[in-house]
Amino acid sequence: QSLQPLEAEIPIPVYGGGNRTAGKQDWRGSVDCPTLEFEYGDADGHAAELSELYSYTENLEFTNNRRCFEEDFKTQVQGKEWLELEEDAQKAYIMGLLDRLEVVSRERRLKVARAVLYLAQGTFGECDSEVDVLHWSRYNCFLLYQMGTFSTFLELLHMEIDNSQACSSALRKPAVSIADSTELRVLLSVMYLMVENIRLEQETDPCGWRTARETFRTELSFSMHNEEPFALLLFSMVTKFCSGLAPHFPIKKVLLLLWKVVMFTLGGFEHLQTLKVQKRAELGLPPLAEDSIQVVKSMRAASPPSYTLDLGESQLAPPPSKLRGRRGSRRQLLTKQDSLDIYNERDLFKTEEPATEEEEESAGDGERTLDGELDLLEQDPLVPPPPSEAPLSAERVTFPKGLPWAPKVRQKDIEHFLEMSRNKFIGFTLGQDTDTLVGLPRPIHESVKTLKQHKYISIADVQIKNEEELEKCPMSLGEEVVPETPCEILYQGMLYSLPQYMIALLKILLAAAPTSKAKTDSINILADVLPEEMPITVLQSMKLGIDVNRHKEIIVKSISTLLLLLLKHFKLNHIYQFEYVSQHLVFANCIPLILKFFNQNILSYITAKNSISVLDYPCCTIQDLPELTTESLEAGDNSQFCWRNLFSCINLLRLLNKLTKWKHSRTMMLVVFKSAPILKRALKVKQAMLQLYVLKLLKIQTKYLGRQWRKSNMKTMSAIYQKVRHRMNDDWAYGNDIDARPWDFQAEECTLRANIEAFNSRRYDRPQDSEFSPVDNCLQSVLGQRLDLPEDFHYSYELWLEREVFSQPICWEELLQNH
């Protein structure tokens, strides 16, 4: 089932007239958003990542795990606690636990599994602080791995996935609750804790732990004992859940584990940058001009606007002489001009007194919006501010040394420039020849020289060229040697079910999006958060409401990061692997889905406080749970923003950029779905990385939005110029490029699809008797080949001769005539 287009739910602006549904309150409060001190990374802090594994509904199970462990431990060890044992005694006890897991009784098996989970959780009953819990959790997880716990739990997970009784029981129930997935949740929790704790690298780790980490990474990456990689098993759980055959699967835990396994085996974002540098060196390409991660980190956020003036108001405004006489109007204009001044260290006009009610009313009389969300970000100042009103001291203003990015030029851009120049000055072209400049004037020579200085050859360009050569000359070039990397093995395993995997992930993302409306046919993603008995008091309902929202946010975070990691790794491994995944995401309506996600008050989503700090792990294991009150629900939450929500938003924007970059047909989808006002609204969030990817998405579609839009959004155009990388000869700001003409969208996607299918067929569909295999024409060697015949063939040999040879009439004349 494909995701539905979103025309009905995305506001459609009327260019030149504005979207009348936009209200004053949408933009009025945005100036209060401070610059968000957010550091982008592979994941949140270690404690935060562990705490997100558990829903608040599961908190009662911590004591249950502890009780199961203590009951079992007392029968095996007398008079000592776990932390008092020597390492050999601890290993012996874990071996006994794993032996006791191999029992027929599900209840006894679950109790032992809970005891193992308590160890993985850090034996918190013997700890005094949260730091101790996290320390012993890591220690115990390494110990559990060394004793073979992960492989044992993997076998148990296979049993639970194939447990048809649990599936049919869940299907018969009108409402699935957390009780239906108890065994699965315990198994997945142990495996997640082991992956997350072992994945985390610290300088103080002993040598044995480092060796264990690499061994564990290898086990998860490659097919061990003729089994598929672990990530593929989790992908199959996702598709089984989405098909409705296993509604009781704890999908949040599955997705979190899948994300962490992919990140652990393939590598995170910083590791990706290292791999990219290595790959460019292997291909003989020049090194990268800059580290994109560091450039983005050094960027400063643009100041969001305080309020908006409609285009009509600026046209009907009084002359400048009258405006100068009104202090309030002048102050509005000054604020307006400075709204996107990225060079100012702080707002120059923050110290001024607030405008009076009369001034606000006069500003509000002419308020109308353009494109649904037109604000100060998009407006030019009506008059320049007098110097006396805005004293700019050297201490308060910092000017950039230059643009943040080195400009890039593709080979295609140089060829296109020379083609136009030759047509203009000579009257004919020389195809792809970029060296012959005879007959062209001196300025063209200088231009070509400058373009070649900034020429950038990507890894994808080399891979596409190699693929074209392999398609043309399969015999002379021979068979391609494909290195068996973890990424390559994962792609091979995902290849034939990849469309189902992508659709399943997007279905869950749609169900978890805060803008989604509850529908009867939507997937129930709350099976592992809803309690058996629904809340009866207001406070219990508040707690469950926070838990459900937090649950959805974690799902969005895990899916957005998982998809981005897969795309980036596949793009580095081979461009057509990336294009294959991208195309299936586009076919499943990923672009309108992400736009639907952003069609909300993003500032509210990023600053949402859907967490209860006293109930978070490991805090809840050390302290006694307080009595549920309104104060306890809000206690200890002083964060400026929600890390996971900002992380999710940036990853979804990066994902959208990946899907649309250099794809004119997909860029037109952004235009068709009226994405400009939705994306502009996200610029209110003062975070440089988020703003950068929003501006990139606006840049690629400006040429399609018309002159009136560009004229009315000059502040955005200026921000794009200052923050986004320049592509020489890219006519993005004027719309005179050939790409701005009507495009044959279907042909572009079909050509790409044909190239992808040719790649997959050549590399992965290689039958034994292919048409290029050598043929033996020697009669003696053909007759002398030894054939493997069935054991009983010599008993029935004479019967076979009689039936197949002697009794079959052969018409030799007809045989000769046919040949």
Side-chain angles (χ1 to χ4, degrees), residues 127-374:
C127 297
D128 299 324
S129 66
E130 296 178 24
V131 176
D132 288 346
V133 175
L134 296 176
H135 168 77
W136 288 110
S137 176
R138 284 195 82 219
Y139 173 84
N140 290 343
C141 282
F142 274 101
L143 207 59
L144 288 169
Y145 170 70
Q146 290 165 0
M147 302 313 296
T149 308
F150 193 87
S151 55
T152 304
F153 271 67
L154 185 57
E155 293 175 12
L156 294 174
L157 183 62
H158 275 288
M159 288 172 53
E160 286 300 325
I161 292 171
D162 299 332
N163 186 355
S164 57
Q165 184 180 354
C167 292
S168 57
S169 173
L171 286 168
R172 286 195 301 269
K173 288 189 175 182
V176 183
S177 72
I178 200 168
D180 298 297
S181 60
T182 305
E183 289 86 356
L184 274 171
R185 283 187 294 105
V186 170
L187 297 177
L188 289 168
S189 295
V190 171
M191 298 172 98
Y192 178 86
L193 288 167
M194 290 180 70
V195 169
E196 181 63 13
N197 277 310
I198 296 174
R199 182 189 71 84
L200 180 68
E201 296 183 23
Q202 292 183 355
E203 294 180 0
T204 56
D205 289 348
C207 184
W209 285 14
R210 297 175 194 272
T211 307
R213 181 180 298 116
E214 294 308 315
T215 309
F216 191 30
R217 182 184 280 118
T218 305
E219 284 182 12
L220 294 175
S221 304
F222 299 98
S223 304
M224 306 298 288
H225 312 297
N226 296 322
E227 290 185 0
E228 60 190 2
F230 183 49
L232 292 178
L233 175 65
L234 298 173
F235 268 118
S236 67
M237 290 184 72
V238 173
T239 51
K240 191 173 181 181
F241 172 80
C242 284
S243 66
L245 298 175
H248 65 298
F249 278 4
I251 197 62
K252 183 190 81 173
K253 286 182 168 55
V254 174
L255 290 169
L256 280 172
L257 182 55
L258 177 56
W259 163 37
K260 292 302 171 65
V261 166
V262 168
M263 183 164 64
F264 183 37
T265 55
L266 304 188
F269 297 119
E270 290 193 4
H271 182 63
L272 262 165
Q273 190 72 11
T274 307
L275 290 176
K276 188 175 182 181
V277 171
Q278 290 175 358
K279 189 125 185 175
R280 289 186 67 84
E282 289 170 9
L283 296 173
L285 297 174
L288 295 167
E290 70 270 303
D291 186 342
S292 56
I293 296 174
Q294 298 305 320
V295 173
V296 173
K297 282 182 178 179
S298 64
M299 279 188 174
R300 294 185 62 248
S303 301
S306 57
Y307 53 85
T308 184
L309 295 174
D310 187 76
L311 182 64
E313 184 183 355
S314 64
Q315 292 169 345
L316 300 173
S321 60
K322 292 186 179 179
L323 282 173
R324 286 196 190 94
R326 293 182 59 188
R327 190 166 175 235
S329 298
R330 183 164 61 246
R331 181 163 54 249
Q332 291 170 6
L333 296 171
L334 293 175
T335 309
K336 190 178 187 182
Q337 186 193 30
D338 193 53
S339 62
L340 203 70
D341 187 356
I342 64 166
Y343 307 139
N344 288 1
E345 291 295 338
R346 56 182 180 273
D347 194 345
L348 296 174
F349 310 101
K350 210 74 173 178
T351 56
E352 292 196 12
E353 66 274 11
T356 61
E357 290 183 12
E358 183 182 15
E359 289 166 347
E360 287 187 357
E361 288 173 6
S362 66
D365 289 339
E367 261 168 20
R368 292 191 300 275
T369 54
L370 183 65
D371 296 358
E373 287 294 331
L374 181 62

Side-chain angles (χ1 to χ4, degrees), residues 440-552:
L440 296 175
R442 175 58 58 184
I444 299 297
H445 289 231
E446 295 295 329
S447 298
V448 172
K449 181 182 176 184
T450 305
L451 288 173
K452 287 184 175 179
Q453 282 175 351
H454 294 91
K455 180 179 172 183
Y456 175 76
I457 303 173
S458 67
I459 295 171
D461 294 335
V462 177
Q463 290 171 340
I464 290 171
K465 188 177 179 181
N466 291 343
E467 192 62 28
E468 289 172 355
E469 292 175 355
L470 284 166
E471 284 289 329
K472 287 178 185 175
C473 314
M475 299 293 289
S476 58
L477 292 176
E479 195 170 333
E480 182 187 16
V481 178
V482 183
E484 291 288 308
T485 61
C487 187
E488 181 65 31
I489 289 170
L490 180 62
Y491 181 79
Q492 289 177 18
M494 292 177 65
L495 180 60
Y496 298 107
S497 301
L498 197 138
Q500 290 89 332
Y501 295 155
M502 295 302 110
I503 290 172
L505 289 173
L506 291 184
K507 278 185 175 181
I508 299 170
L509 183 61
L510 178 65
T515 51
S516 294
K517 297 179 175 65
K519 295 178 182 176
T520 53
D521 58 342
S522 63
I523 304 170
N524 177 21
I525 58 171
L526 305 177
D528 51 336
V529 70
L530 295 178
E532 281 189 278
E533 298 178 0
M534 295 306 288
I536 53 175
T537 67
V538 174
L539 283 170
Q540 288 176 344
S541 299
M542 285 175 62
K543 177 190 167 187
L544 182 59
I546 292 171
D547 205 4
V548 166
N549 289 337
R550 174 178 176 266
H551 180 81
K552 289 182 176 180

Side-chain angles (χ1 to χ4, degrees), residues 77 406 408:
V77 181
K408 286 182 180 178

